[in-house]
Amino acid sequence: MGSRKKQMADAIKEQKKQIAFAKLNNCPTSPRKMRLVADLVRGERVEKALNILRFSQKEASNRLEKLLLSAIANWQAKNEDADIEAAELYVKEVRVDGGAMLKRLRPAPQGRAHRIRKRSNHVTLVVDANNKTQS
């Protein structure tokens, strides 16, 4: 690896150390259903996002709530000296990607078969501190 490429890779690695995120892989919910809940909390402050997820009727909200708590714990581990209330954490990014698909066959009339696609997804949730200095 060239010296410039190595310096750039090290710089990116240092930036990633500051990011607090949590990942949920192979969640057995369709990505479309998970995105409905993810759109509710994207960009919200952490306290408000937890309340939204806690009182939501959707089944995907339980998994996202657990994931958000994990991301907050990861942020605390990286910033041990900082206070959560003072940092004003917010949900910086929520990404829902399609995962592996289980393919099943359902019998149909006249000897045919219909394919049932049981979808899964991967969710990545990034939490960041709101350190905006007003001038």
Side-chain angles (χ1 to χ4, degrees):
M1 189 183 317
S3 63
R4 192 174 37 180
K5 195 172 183 182
K6 180 154 178 54
Q7 288 173 349
M8 195 62 181
D10 290 339
I12 291 171
K13 195 181 279 188
E14 283 299 317
Q15 287 175 351
K16 284 194 174 184
K17 282 185 182 178
Q18 302 303 320
I19 297 174
F21 66 95
K23 290 178 82 171
L24 175 64
N25 287 331
N26 296 320
C27 179
T29 310
S30 75
R32 185 177 179 182
K33 291 178 184 176
M34 188 63 85
R35 280 188 195 109
L36 285 173
V37 181
D39 290 341
L40 294 174
V41 298
R42 187 175 286 121
E44 296 287 347
R45 293 187 64 226
V46 166
E47 295 86 12
K48 186 175 179 185
L50 281 171
N51 285 332
I52 290 170
L53 293 173
R54 194 163 290 132
F55 295 110
S56 175
Q57 297 290 320
K58 302 261 184 208
E59 189 242 337
S61 66
N62 295 333
R63 294 189 171 115
L64 264 183
E65 180 185 359
K66 196 171 178 182
L67 188 68
L68 180 56
L69 289 171
S70 175
I72 294 168
N74 292 343
W75 185 87
Q76 276 182 319
K78 288 186 177 184
N79 304 296
E80 293 172 351
D81 55 333
D83 184 35
I84 293 180
E85 283 78 26
E88 292 185 6
L89 292 179
Y90 72 101
V91 180
K92 183 176 182 179
E93 179 183 352
V94 181
R95 212 172 36 246
V96 181
D97 303 318
M101 231 182 292
L102 297 174
K103 294 177 180 167
R104 301 289 180 259
L105 292 176
R106 161 117 345 130
Q110 298 179 356
R112 289 177 300 188
H114 292 243
R115 182 172 283 171
I116 303 293
R117 293 179 297 276
K118 297 191 174 194
R119 300 172 191 268
S120 68
N121 63 55
H122 307 308
V123 184
T124 306
L125 194 142
V126 179
V127 172
D128 197 12
N130 198 359
N131 295 335
K132 294 179 181 173
T133 55
Q134 296 178 353
S135 54

